Amino acid sequence: MARDAAEAIEAAKRMHVDMIGTGTNSIYLTDPAGHVIWSLRLGEVWLERDY
């Protein structure tokens, strides 16, 4: 649990989520009341590939 929304968002940004491997196209961070305070869509993620 974070002290506030800003701390929670910073922690979420540091986490690695394999969105392709899990078949997820978006993730959401919500507050205790269930309101979305941050989200990340797959299209916003830079995909690194070996060519």
Side-chain angles (χ1 to χ4, degrees):
M1 296 295 285
R3 290 177 289 185
D4 57 27
E7 184 178 288
I9 292 167
E10 288 303 315
K13 288 179 178 180
R14 288 190 303 269
M15 292 181 176
H16 171 75
V17 176
D18 181 4
M19 294 175 77
I20 294 173
T22 60
T24 304
N25 65 4
S26 60
I27 55 175
Y28 299 91
L29 179 62
T30 59
D31 67 11
H35 300 107
V36 175
I37 59 172
W38 178 78
S39 65
L40 178 65
R41 296 177 310 173
L42 183 58
E44 299 170 2
V45 177
W46 178 260
L47 301 176
E48 294 183 16
R49 296 180 184 254
D50 294 323
Y51 293 102

